[in-house]
Amino acid sequence: MTAAVEAKGWAWRHAGRSSWAVRGLDLRVEAGERVLLLGASGAGKSTLLRALAGVLGGEDEGESEGTLLIDGSAAERARGRVGLVLQDPESQVVLARVGDDVAFGCENLGVPRNEIWRRVGAALEAVGLDLPLNQPTSALSGGQKQRLALAGVLAMRPGLVLLDEPTANLDPDGVIEVRDAVADVTAATGATLIVVEHRVDIWWQLVDRVIVLEPGGGVLADGTPGEILAGQGAALAASGVWVPGHPPALPARNARVGGTLLHIEQLAIGRGVPVQHDLEMSIAAGSCLAVSGANGSGKSTLGLTIGGLLAPIAGVVDAAGLATGLGHDPFRWKSRQLVTRIGSVFQDPEHQFVAPTVRAELEVGAKAIGLPDVAARVDPLLERLRLTGLADVNPFTLSGGEKRRLSVATALVTRPPLLILDEPTFGQDCRTWAELAALFAELLDGGSAIVAITHDQLLVEAIADSELRMPVPTAVSAA
Protein backbone atom coordinates (compact mmCIF):
# COMPACT_ATOMS: atom_id res chain seq x y z
CA MET A 1 0.00 0.00 0.00
CA THR A 2 1.35 3.43 -0.96
CA ALA A 3 1.84 6.08 1.74
CA ALA A 4 1.30 9.81 2.25
CA VAL A 5 3.67 12.05 4.21
CA GLU A 6 2.90 15.19 6.21
CA ALA A 7 5.09 17.53 8.26
CA LYS A 8 3.50 20.12 10.56
CA GLY A 9 5.99 22.56 12.01
CA TRP A 10 8.48 19.71 12.26
CA ALA A 11 12.01 20.33 13.50
CA TRP A 12 15.06 18.40 14.62
CA ARG A 13 18.20 19.47 16.44
CA HIS A 14 21.10 17.10 17.06
CA ALA A 15 22.23 16.70 20.66
CA GLY A 16 24.91 19.24 21.53
CA ARG A 17 24.03 21.56 18.65
CA SER A 18 22.85 25.15 19.09
CA SER A 19 21.31 25.34 15.60
CA TRP A 20 18.50 23.23 14.19
CA ALA A 21 19.10 20.87 11.28
CA VAL A 22 15.51 21.41 10.16
CA ARG A 23 12.91 23.73 11.63
CA GLY A 24 9.40 24.93 10.86
CA LEU A 25 8.90 22.39 8.10
CA ASP A 26 5.38 22.27 6.69
CA LEU A 27 4.67 20.07 3.68
CA ARG A 28 2.50 17.24 2.43
CA VAL A 29 3.44 14.53 -0.07
CA GLU A 30 0.43 12.68 -1.44
CA ALA A 31 0.38 8.92 -1.81
CA GLY A 32 2.05 7.86 -5.05
CA GLU A 33 3.86 11.15 -5.68
CA ARG A 34 7.45 11.14 -6.88
CA VAL A 35 9.42 13.92 -5.20
CA LEU A 36 12.96 15.18 -5.74
CA LEU A 37 14.15 16.76 -2.49
CA LEU A 38 16.81 19.41 -3.01
CA GLY A 39 18.71 21.95 -0.92
CA ALA A 40 22.18 23.22 -0.17
CA SER A 41 24.63 21.02 1.71
CA GLY A 42 23.52 20.89 5.34
CA ALA A 43 19.91 21.91 4.63
CA GLY A 44 18.55 18.86 6.46
CA LYS A 45 17.59 16.59 3.57
CA SER A 46 19.14 13.45 5.05
CA THR A 47 17.78 14.34 8.48
CA LEU A 48 14.22 14.42 7.10
CA LEU A 49 14.62 11.08 5.34
CA ARG A 50 16.01 9.41 8.46
CA ALA A 51 13.14 10.78 10.50
CA LEU A 52 10.58 9.43 8.03
CA ALA A 53 12.25 6.03 8.22
CA GLY A 54 12.17 6.08 12.02
CA VAL A 55 15.95 5.82 12.43
CA LEU A 56 16.85 9.36 13.46
CA GLY A 57 17.24 8.51 17.12
CA GLY A 58 15.51 9.17 20.42
CA GLU A 59 15.66 11.98 22.93
CA ASP A 60 19.27 11.18 23.84
CA GLU A 61 20.35 11.92 20.25
CA GLY A 62 18.44 15.16 19.78
CA GLU A 63 15.19 17.02 20.21
CA SER A 64 12.23 17.54 17.92
CA GLU A 65 9.32 19.92 17.48
CA GLY A 66 6.04 19.56 15.66
CA THR A 67 4.82 16.36 14.03
CA LEU A 68 5.96 14.13 11.20
CA LEU A 69 3.30 11.72 9.96
CA ILE A 70 2.94 8.81 7.55
CA ASP A 71 -0.71 8.21 6.71
CA GLY A 72 -1.70 10.15 9.80
CA SER A 73 0.44 8.17 12.25
CA ALA A 74 3.80 9.09 13.77
CA ALA A 75 6.60 8.22 11.35
CA GLU A 76 8.45 6.01 13.83
CA ARG A 77 5.44 3.69 13.98
CA ALA A 78 5.48 3.00 10.22
CA ARG A 79 8.90 1.38 9.86
CA GLY A 80 7.63 -1.73 8.08
CA ARG A 81 6.12 0.41 5.34
CA VAL A 82 9.20 2.53 4.65
CA GLY A 83 12.37 1.61 2.75
CA LEU A 84 15.46 3.80 3.12
CA VAL A 85 18.74 3.75 1.21
CA LEU A 86 21.29 5.78 3.17
CA GLN A 87 24.09 7.98 1.84
CA ASP A 88 26.57 5.46 3.23
CA PRO A 89 25.61 2.04 1.82
CA GLU A 90 28.23 0.33 3.99
CA SER A 91 26.12 1.10 7.05
CA GLN A 92 23.23 -0.91 5.56
CA VAL A 93 25.15 -4.12 4.86
CA VAL A 94 24.11 -6.46 7.65
CA LEU A 95 24.83 -10.01 6.44
CA ALA A 96 27.85 -11.77 5.01
CA ARG A 97 26.39 -12.91 1.67
CA VAL A 98 24.71 -10.94 -1.09
CA GLY A 99 21.52 -13.01 -1.26
CA ASP A 100 21.03 -13.08 2.50
CA ASP A 101 21.53 -9.34 2.75
CA VAL A 102 18.87 -8.58 0.14
CA ALA A 103 16.49 -11.06 1.81
CA PHE A 104 16.97 -9.57 5.29
CA GLY A 105 14.24 -6.94 5.10
CA CYS A 106 11.72 -9.35 3.56
CA GLU A 107 12.38 -11.86 6.32
CA ASN A 108 11.70 -9.21 8.98
CA LEU A 109 8.39 -8.44 7.27
CA GLY A 110 7.35 -12.10 7.31
CA VAL A 111 7.28 -12.56 3.54
CA PRO A 112 6.91 -16.29 2.63
CA ARG A 113 10.23 -17.99 1.91
CA ASN A 114 9.54 -18.84 -1.74
CA GLU A 115 8.37 -15.30 -2.40
CA ILE A 116 11.48 -13.88 -0.70
CA TRP A 117 13.90 -15.57 -3.07
CA ARG A 118 11.83 -14.65 -6.09
CA ARG A 119 11.99 -11.03 -4.96
CA VAL A 120 15.74 -11.25 -4.21
CA GLY A 121 16.53 -12.40 -7.75
CA ALA A 122 14.28 -9.79 -9.31
CA ALA A 123 15.72 -6.97 -7.18
CA LEU A 124 19.34 -7.87 -7.95
CA GLU A 125 18.53 -8.01 -11.64
CA ALA A 126 16.70 -4.68 -11.47
CA VAL A 127 19.69 -2.83 -10.01
CA GLY A 128 22.21 -4.53 -12.31
CA LEU A 129 24.12 -6.40 -9.60
CA ASP A 130 25.08 -9.57 -11.44
CA LEU A 131 26.73 -11.52 -8.63
CA PRO A 132 26.25 -14.97 -7.09
CA LEU A 133 23.91 -15.07 -4.10
CA ASN A 134 26.75 -16.44 -1.96
CA GLN A 135 29.18 -13.65 -2.95
CA PRO A 136 30.71 -12.17 0.24
CA THR A 137 29.41 -8.68 0.86
CA SER A 138 32.82 -7.75 2.29
CA ALA A 139 34.31 -8.16 -1.20
CA LEU A 140 32.02 -5.59 -2.85
CA SER A 141 33.09 -2.13 -3.93
CA GLY A 142 31.36 0.96 -2.57
CA GLY A 143 29.25 1.27 -5.70
CA GLN A 144 28.26 -2.38 -5.57
CA LYS A 145 27.21 -1.99 -1.93
CA GLN A 146 25.08 0.96 -2.98
CA ARG A 147 23.26 -1.25 -5.48
CA LEU A 148 22.96 -3.98 -2.86
CA ALA A 149 21.30 -1.59 -0.40
CA LEU A 150 18.83 -0.48 -3.08
CA ALA A 151 18.05 -4.08 -4.00
CA GLY A 152 17.22 -4.82 -0.36
CA VAL A 153 14.78 -1.92 -0.25
CA LEU A 154 13.13 -2.77 -3.56
CA ALA A 155 12.64 -6.39 -2.49
CA MET A 156 10.61 -5.22 0.53
CA ARG A 157 8.05 -3.47 -1.75
CA PRO A 158 7.57 -0.57 0.71
CA GLY A 159 4.78 1.96 0.39
CA LEU A 160 7.29 4.80 0.82
CA VAL A 161 10.72 4.63 -0.85
CA LEU A 162 13.36 7.04 0.49
CA LEU A 163 16.62 7.34 -1.42
CA ASP A 164 19.52 9.43 -0.11
CA GLU A 165 22.08 10.01 -2.88
CA PRO A 166 21.43 6.54 -4.37
CA THR A 167 23.75 7.00 -7.37
CA ALA A 168 26.60 8.95 -5.73
CA ASN A 169 29.18 6.15 -5.99
CA LEU A 170 27.98 4.57 -9.23
CA ASP A 171 29.58 4.57 -12.64
CA PRO A 172 27.60 6.30 -15.44
CA ASP A 173 25.96 3.10 -16.69
CA GLY A 174 25.04 2.14 -13.14
CA VAL A 175 23.38 5.52 -12.57
CA ILE A 176 20.98 4.92 -15.44
CA GLU A 177 20.31 1.31 -14.41
CA VAL A 178 19.48 2.29 -10.85
CA ARG A 179 17.25 5.18 -11.89
CA ASP A 180 15.37 2.94 -14.32
CA ALA A 181 15.02 0.23 -11.65
CA VAL A 182 13.49 2.74 -9.24
CA ALA A 183 11.16 3.99 -11.97
CA ASP A 184 9.99 0.47 -12.83
CA VAL A 185 9.39 -0.59 -9.23
CA THR A 186 7.54 2.57 -8.21
CA ALA A 187 5.42 2.37 -11.37
CA ALA A 188 4.55 -1.27 -10.68
CA THR A 189 3.78 -0.81 -6.98
CA GLY A 190 2.52 2.78 -6.89
CA ALA A 191 4.90 3.52 -4.04
CA THR A 192 5.55 7.09 -2.96
CA LEU A 193 9.12 8.16 -3.80
CA ILE A 194 11.26 10.82 -2.14
CA VAL A 195 14.80 11.00 -3.52
CA VAL A 196 17.67 13.24 -2.42
CA GLU A 197 20.22 13.53 -5.21
CA HIS A 198 22.69 16.13 -6.37
CA ARG A 199 22.60 14.66 -9.89
CA VAL A 200 19.40 16.53 -10.61
CA ASP A 201 19.44 15.95 -14.36
CA ILE A 202 19.23 12.17 -13.82
CA TRP A 203 15.95 12.34 -11.85
CA TRP A 204 14.38 15.46 -13.33
CA GLN A 205 12.24 13.59 -15.86
CA LEU A 206 11.18 10.85 -13.43
CA VAL A 207 9.68 12.98 -10.65
CA ASP A 208 6.48 15.01 -10.73
CA ARG A 209 7.39 17.42 -7.93
CA VAL A 210 10.47 19.22 -6.63
CA ILE A 211 10.78 20.45 -3.04
CA VAL A 212 13.75 22.63 -2.04
CA LEU A 213 14.59 22.94 1.66
CA GLU A 214 15.81 26.22 3.09
CA PRO A 215 18.97 25.74 5.23
CA GLY A 216 17.90 26.12 8.84
CA GLY A 217 14.18 25.86 8.27
CA GLY A 218 11.21 25.70 5.97
CA VAL A 219 10.63 25.18 2.27
CA LEU A 220 12.45 27.42 -0.21
CA ALA A 221 10.61 26.23 -3.33
CA ASP A 222 7.91 23.71 -4.19
CA GLY A 223 6.45 22.90 -7.59
CA THR A 224 6.68 20.83 -10.74
CA PRO A 225 10.12 20.35 -12.29
CA GLY A 226 9.17 22.69 -15.12
CA GLU A 227 8.01 25.41 -12.75
CA ILE A 228 11.14 25.20 -10.65
CA LEU A 229 13.49 25.17 -13.65
CA ALA A 230 11.81 27.98 -15.56
CA GLY A 231 10.89 30.24 -12.68
CA GLN A 232 13.59 29.85 -10.06
CA GLY A 233 16.49 28.01 -11.69
CA ALA A 234 19.05 30.81 -11.57
CA ALA A 235 18.23 31.80 -7.98
CA LEU A 236 18.34 28.22 -6.76
CA ALA A 237 21.66 27.61 -8.51
CA ALA A 238 23.10 30.69 -6.81
CA SER A 239 22.00 29.29 -3.43
CA GLY A 240 23.85 26.02 -4.10
CA VAL A 241 21.17 23.80 -5.67
CA TRP A 242 22.21 21.80 -8.72
CA VAL A 243 19.90 22.95 -11.51
CA PRO A 244 20.15 21.66 -15.12
CA GLY A 245 21.38 24.43 -17.38
CA HIS A 246 23.13 26.29 -14.55
CA PRO A 247 26.52 24.57 -14.16
CA PRO A 248 29.11 25.87 -11.68
CA ALA A 249 32.05 27.86 -12.97
CA LEU A 250 35.16 25.76 -13.54
CA PRO A 251 38.40 26.99 -11.96
CA ALA A 252 41.22 28.44 -14.01
CA ARG A 253 44.35 26.31 -14.16
CA ASN A 254 47.95 27.44 -14.46
CA ALA A 255 49.51 24.03 -14.90
CA ARG A 256 53.23 23.78 -14.21
CA VAL A 257 54.16 20.12 -14.13
CA GLY A 258 57.27 19.26 -12.15
CA GLY A 259 59.28 16.14 -11.43
CA THR A 260 57.93 12.64 -10.86
CA LEU A 261 56.71 12.01 -7.32
CA LEU A 262 55.49 8.44 -7.69
CA HIS A 263 55.86 5.79 -10.36
CA ILE A 264 54.35 2.31 -10.66
CA GLU A 265 55.44 -0.59 -12.83
CA GLN A 266 53.72 -3.94 -13.52
CA LEU A 267 51.54 -3.32 -10.47
CA ALA A 268 49.04 -5.97 -9.37
CA ILE A 269 46.48 -4.85 -6.79
CA GLY A 270 43.79 -6.55 -4.72
CA ARG A 271 42.97 -7.94 -1.34
CA GLY A 272 44.44 -11.42 -1.64
CA VAL A 273 43.11 -12.00 -5.17
CA PRO A 274 44.33 -9.62 -7.92
CA VAL A 275 41.63 -7.34 -9.27
CA GLN A 276 44.02 -5.56 -11.66
CA HIS A 277 47.53 -6.30 -12.87
CA ASP A 278 50.25 -4.82 -15.09
CA LEU A 279 49.30 -1.25 -14.20
CA GLU A 280 51.80 1.42 -15.24
CA MET A 281 51.73 5.16 -14.50
CA SER A 282 53.70 8.15 -13.28
CA ILE A 283 52.42 11.00 -11.13
CA ALA A 284 54.22 14.32 -11.41
CA ALA A 285 54.19 17.37 -9.16
CA GLY A 286 51.54 19.87 -10.21
CA SER A 287 49.47 17.30 -12.12
CA CYS A 288 46.13 15.60 -11.56
CA LEU A 289 45.42 12.04 -12.62
CA ALA A 290 41.73 11.09 -12.68
CA VAL A 291 40.99 7.39 -12.13
CA SER A 292 37.62 6.26 -13.49
CA GLY A 293 35.95 2.98 -14.44
CA ALA A 294 33.10 0.65 -13.57
CA ASN A 295 32.18 -0.25 -10.01
CA GLY A 296 34.30 -3.17 -8.83
CA SER A 297 37.20 -2.43 -11.18
CA GLY A 298 39.62 -1.69 -8.33
CA LYS A 299 39.75 2.12 -8.29
CA SER A 300 39.65 2.46 -4.50
CA THR A 301 42.04 -0.47 -4.13
CA LEU A 302 44.50 1.33 -6.40
CA GLY A 303 44.18 4.46 -4.28
CA LEU A 304 44.91 2.57 -1.07
CA THR A 305 47.90 0.83 -2.69
CA ILE A 306 49.65 3.89 -4.08
CA GLY A 307 48.75 5.72 -0.87
CA GLY A 308 50.85 3.27 1.17
CA LEU A 309 47.86 1.77 3.00
CA LEU A 310 47.59 -1.57 1.18
CA ALA A 311 50.46 -3.78 0.10
CA PRO A 312 50.71 -4.47 -3.65
CA ILE A 313 50.32 -8.07 -4.74
CA ALA A 314 53.12 -7.68 -7.28
CA GLY A 315 55.05 -4.98 -9.07
CA VAL A 316 56.62 -1.74 -7.90
CA VAL A 317 55.27 1.39 -6.24
CA ASP A 318 58.22 3.77 -6.37
CA ALA A 319 57.65 6.90 -4.29
CA ALA A 320 61.30 7.96 -4.15
CA GLY A 321 60.26 11.36 -5.49
CA LEU A 322 58.42 12.02 -2.23
CA ALA A 323 61.24 11.17 0.15
CA THR A 324 64.97 10.67 0.19
CA GLY A 325 66.41 7.82 2.21
CA LEU A 326 63.10 6.16 3.16
CA GLY A 327 63.02 3.53 0.44
CA HIS A 328 60.74 3.53 -2.58
CA ASP A 329 57.74 1.60 -1.19
CA PRO A 330 55.36 3.86 0.81
CA PHE A 331 53.70 0.80 2.37
CA ARG A 332 56.91 0.31 4.37
CA TRP A 333 56.95 3.88 5.69
CA LYS A 334 55.90 4.64 9.25
CA SER A 335 52.66 6.55 9.72
CA ARG A 336 54.54 9.71 10.76
CA GLN A 337 56.51 9.54 7.53
CA LEU A 338 53.44 8.86 5.43
CA VAL A 339 51.19 11.62 6.77
CA THR A 340 53.47 14.44 5.58
CA ARG A 341 54.02 12.92 2.13
CA ILE A 342 50.77 11.28 1.00
CA GLY A 343 47.33 12.37 2.14
CA SER A 344 44.44 9.96 1.59
CA VAL A 345 40.71 10.69 1.54
CA PHE A 346 38.69 7.47 1.75
CA GLN A 347 35.52 6.77 -0.20
CA ASP A 348 33.63 6.60 3.10
CA PRO A 349 34.61 9.65 5.17
CA GLU A 350 33.47 8.09 8.44
CA HIS A 351 36.21 5.48 8.13
CA GLN A 352 38.82 8.11 8.96
CA PHE A 353 37.11 10.01 11.82
CA VAL A 354 38.67 9.38 15.23
CA ALA A 355 38.05 12.55 17.27
CA PRO A 356 34.97 13.88 19.13
CA THR A 357 34.79 17.27 17.37
CA VAL A 358 35.45 18.68 13.92
CA ARG A 359 38.31 20.84 15.19
CA ALA A 360 39.91 17.95 17.09
CA GLU A 361 39.63 15.79 13.97
CA LEU A 362 41.63 18.33 11.99
CA GLU A 363 44.24 18.56 14.72
CA VAL A 364 44.97 14.82 14.91
CA GLY A 365 47.61 14.55 12.19
CA ALA A 366 49.37 17.82 13.01
CA LYS A 367 49.62 17.04 16.72
CA ALA A 368 50.77 13.48 16.07
CA ILE A 369 53.88 14.70 14.28
CA GLY A 370 54.46 17.69 16.57
CA LEU A 371 53.77 20.52 14.17
CA PRO A 372 53.88 23.99 15.76
CA ASP A 373 50.93 26.44 15.75
CA VAL A 374 48.31 23.89 14.76
CA ALA A 375 45.53 26.50 14.86
CA ALA A 376 47.23 28.44 12.06
CA ARG A 377 46.75 25.38 9.84
CA VAL A 378 43.31 24.35 11.05
CA ASP A 379 41.42 27.67 11.15
CA PRO A 380 41.90 28.59 7.48
CA LEU A 381 40.69 25.13 6.40
CA LEU A 382 37.60 25.42 8.60
CA GLU A 383 36.81 28.74 6.97
CA ARG A 384 37.61 27.67 3.42
CA LEU A 385 35.47 24.53 3.61
CA ARG A 386 32.49 26.13 5.42
CA LEU A 387 33.09 24.22 8.65
CA THR A 388 33.84 27.08 11.08
CA GLY A 389 30.37 27.05 12.59
CA LEU A 390 30.64 23.29 13.08
CA ALA A 391 34.08 23.23 14.71
CA ASP A 392 32.79 22.00 18.07
CA VAL A 393 30.26 19.39 16.87
CA ASN A 394 30.68 15.64 16.54
CA PRO A 395 31.85 14.71 13.01
CA PHE A 396 29.38 11.83 12.85
CA THR A 397 26.43 14.25 13.11
CA LEU A 398 27.45 16.23 10.01
CA SER A 399 25.61 15.96 6.73
CA GLY A 400 27.13 13.78 4.03
CA GLY A 401 28.56 16.77 2.18
CA GLU A 402 30.00 18.25 5.37
CA LYS A 403 31.62 14.92 6.27
CA ARG A 404 33.24 14.81 2.85
CA ARG A 405 34.64 18.33 3.18
CA LEU A 406 35.97 17.48 6.65
CA SER A 407 37.69 14.36 5.33
CA VAL A 408 39.35 16.46 2.60
CA ALA A 409 40.47 18.99 5.19
CA THR A 410 42.06 16.31 7.39
CA ALA A 411 44.29 15.30 4.48
CA LEU A 412 45.38 18.90 3.86
CA VAL A 413 46.44 19.90 7.37
CA THR A 414 49.90 18.34 7.13
CA ARG A 415 50.33 19.69 3.56
CA PRO A 416 51.48 16.50 1.83
CA PRO A 417 52.73 16.91 -1.76
CA LEU A 418 50.58 14.00 -3.01
CA LEU A 419 46.84 13.66 -2.37
CA ILE A 420 44.79 10.52 -3.05
CA LEU A 421 41.14 11.60 -3.16
CA ASP A 422 38.43 8.94 -3.45
CA GLU A 423 35.14 10.52 -4.65
CA PRO A 424 36.15 13.94 -3.26
CA THR A 425 33.01 15.77 -4.48
CA PHE A 426 30.47 13.30 -3.08
CA GLY A 427 27.45 15.00 -1.48
CA GLN A 428 28.37 18.55 -2.51
CA ASP A 429 25.92 21.19 -3.61
CA CYS A 430 26.71 23.35 -6.61
CA ARG A 431 28.41 26.04 -4.53
CA THR A 432 30.55 23.79 -2.33
CA TRP A 433 31.48 21.71 -5.42
CA ALA A 434 32.84 24.83 -7.11
CA GLU A 435 34.73 25.78 -3.95
CA LEU A 436 36.32 22.33 -3.68
CA ALA A 437 37.27 22.34 -7.37
CA ALA A 438 38.87 25.78 -6.95
CA LEU A 439 40.80 24.57 -3.90
CA PHE A 440 42.10 21.53 -5.79
CA ALA A 441 43.16 23.75 -8.70
CA GLU A 442 45.09 26.01 -6.33
CA LEU A 443 46.86 23.03 -4.78
CA LEU A 444 47.84 21.77 -8.23
CA ASP A 445 49.08 25.16 -9.35
CA GLY A 446 51.12 25.32 -6.13
CA GLY A 447 52.94 22.10 -7.04
CA SER A 448 50.91 19.42 -5.27
CA ALA A 449 49.87 16.29 -7.16
CA ILE A 450 46.39 14.78 -7.00
CA VAL A 451 45.02 11.35 -7.84
CA ALA A 452 41.25 11.80 -8.02
CA ILE A 453 39.23 8.57 -8.01
CA THR A 454 35.88 9.72 -9.30
CA HIS A 455 32.73 9.19 -11.35
CA ASP A 456 32.30 12.96 -11.49
CA GLN A 457 33.08 13.84 -15.09
CA LEU A 458 32.66 17.54 -14.39
CA LEU A 459 35.51 17.30 -11.87
CA VAL A 460 37.61 15.46 -14.46
CA GLU A 461 36.97 18.29 -16.90
CA ALA A 462 37.78 20.88 -14.25
CA ILE A 463 41.13 19.69 -12.87
CA ALA A 464 42.43 16.51 -14.53
CA ASP A 465 45.52 16.53 -16.75
CA SER A 466 45.13 12.85 -17.64
CA GLU A 467 42.67 10.04 -17.02
CA LEU A 468 43.22 6.36 -16.28
CA ARG A 469 40.11 4.33 -17.03
CA MET A 470 40.32 1.05 -15.16
CA PRO A 471 39.24 -1.94 -17.24
CA VAL A 472 36.68 -4.40 -15.89
CA PRO A 473 38.58 -7.54 -14.79
CA THR A 474 37.34 -10.82 -16.21
CA ALA A 475 36.65 -12.03 -12.67
CA VAL A 476 34.59 -8.95 -11.81
CA SER A 477 31.11 -8.25 -13.13
CA ALA A 478 30.64 -5.09 -15.12
CA ALA A 479 28.08 -4.14 -12.49
Side-chain angles (χ1 to χ4, degrees), residues 111-198:
V111 177
R113 179 179 177 82
N114 290 341
E115 173 65 11
I116 287 177
W117 292 106
R118 189 185 70 79
R119 290 189 188 187
V120 167
L124 288 170
E125 182 179 1
V127 301
L129 194 56
D130 183 18
L131 295 173
L133 295 182
N134 63 355
Q135 175 85 3
T137 54
S138 60
L140 302 187
S141 70
Q144 289 171 324
K145 288 176 181 175
Q146 205 153 16
R147 294 191 194 213
L148 180 69
L150 179 59
V153 165
L154 297 183
M156 292 167 59
R157 310 277 173 86
L160 174 60
V161 177
L162 306 173
L163 306 179
D164 196 353
E165 300 278 3
T167 66
N169 291 323
L170 299 183
D171 56 66
D173 290 341
V175 170
I176 301 303
E177 287 179 349
V178 163
R179 181 205 60 190
D180 290 348
V182 172
D184 290 344
V185 170
T186 53
T189 64
T192 306
L193 171 67
I194 302 178
V195 57
V196 171
E197 178 65 88
H198 285 295

Side-chain angles (χ1 to χ4, degrees), residues 345 352 358 361-362 377-378 381-382 385 387 403-415 436 439:
V345 173
Q352 58 194 103
V358 168
E361 190 66 50
L362 289 176
R377 293 179 177 242
V378 168
L381 286 171
L382 288 170
L385 294 173
L387 297 171
K403 288 176 182 175
R404 172 47 76 210
R405 297 199 300 279
L406 174 58
S407 66
V408 170
T410 61
L412 300 181
V413 171
T414 57
R415 300 173 186 170
L436 273 178
L439 174 59

Side-chain angles (χ1 to χ4, degrees), residues 114-477:
N114 290 341
E115 173 65 11
I116 287 177
W117 292 106
R118 189 185 70 79
R119 290 189 188 187
V120 167
L124 288 170
E125 182 179 1
V127 301
L129 194 56
D130 183 18
L131 295 173
L133 295 182
N134 63 355
Q135 175 85 3
T137 54
S138 60
L140 302 187
S141 70
Q144 289 171 324
K145 288 176 181 175
Q146 205 153 16
R147 294 191 194 213
L148 180 69
L150 179 59
V153 165
L154 297 183
M156 292 167 59
R157 310 277 173 86
L160 174 60
V161 177
L162 306 173
L163 306 179
D164 196 353
E165 300 278 3
T167 66
N169 291 323
L170 299 183
D171 56 66
D173 290 341
V175 170
I176 301 303
E177 287 179 349
V178 163
R179 181 205 60 190
D180 290 348
V182 172
D184 290 344
V185 170
T186 53
T189 64
T192 306
L193 171 67
I194 302 178
V195 57
V196 171
E197 178 65 88
H198 285 295
R199 297 183 184 188
V200 174
D201 55 324
I202 298 298
W203 298 91
W204 204 261
Q205 301 300 319
L206 174 62
V207 301
D208 44 44
R209 184 178 173 191
V210 176
I211 298 174
V212 185
L213 297 187
E214 176 77 45
V219 174
L220 181 63
D222 186 354
T224 67
E227 290 170 346
I228 298 298
L229 180 60
Q232 305 183 57
L236 290 174
S239 72
V241 177
W242 287 96
V243 179
H246 298 271
L250 302 185
R253 285 288 314 277
N254 182 23
R256 289 175 293 180
V257 177
T260 298
L261 299 181
L262 186 143
H263 176 72
I264 67 174
E265 295 180 2
Q266 297 182 322
L267 184 67
I269 59 172
R271 293 175 171 85
V273 177
V275 67
Q276 293 286 354
H277 55 83
D278 295 329
L279 294 172
E280 308 262 345
M281 75 176 78
S282 291
I283 301 167
S287 70
C288 174
L289 169 68
V291 180
S292 60
N295 295 129
S297 59
K299 302 183 298 298
S300 296
T301 302
L302 175 63
L304 293 172
T305 304
I306 63 178
L309 302 174
L310 182 67
I313 291 176
V316 174
V317 178
D318 188 343
L322 290 168
T324 302
L326 290 182
H328 69 266
D329 186 356
F331 184 71
R332 299 184 181 278
W333 296 351
K334 297 178 180 179
S335 59
R336 290 171 57 88
Q337 298 166 332
L338 194 62
V339 72
T340 57
R341 293 168 173 84
I342 304 178
S344 293
V345 173
F346 300 156
Q347 187 177 58
D348 181 352
E350 293 189 357
H351 286 178
Q352 58 194 103
F353 293 160
V354 296
T357 69
V358 168
R359 178 179 292 279
E361 190 66 50
L362 289 176
E363 293 174 343
V364 168
K367 287 184 174 180
I369 58 175
L371 291 177
D373 200 5
V374 174
R377 293 179 177 242
V378 168
D379 289 343
L381 286 171
L382 288 170
E383 182 69 24
R384 183 70 183 267
L385 294 173
R386 296 181 181 268
L387 297 171
T388 300
L390 301 168
D392 296 323
V393 308
N394 189 315
F396 291 95
T397 67
L398 300 178
S399 73
E402 291 163 347
K403 288 176 182 175
R404 172 47 76 210
R405 297 199 300 279
L406 174 58
S407 66
V408 170
T410 61
L412 300 181
V413 171
T414 57
R415 300 173 186 170
L418 175 60
L419 294 165
I420 313 295
L421 309 178
D422 198 341
E423 298 291 358
T425 55
F426 164 75
Q428 300 311 305
D429 62 37
C430 187
R431 180 173 52 194
T432 58
W433 184 97
E435 291 167 352
L436 273 178
L439 174 59
F440 296 151
E442 289 177 22
L443 291 168
L444 290 166
D445 293 346
S448 298
I450 292 176
V451 177
I453 300 163
T454 184
H455 293 302
D456 184 349
Q457 285 303 304
L458 189 60
L459 181 67
V460 175
E461 179 183 346
I463 67 170
D465 299 292
S466 58
E467 183 175 3
L468 169 65
R469 185 163 185 84
M470 300 279 275
V472 178
T474 55
V476 177
S477 166

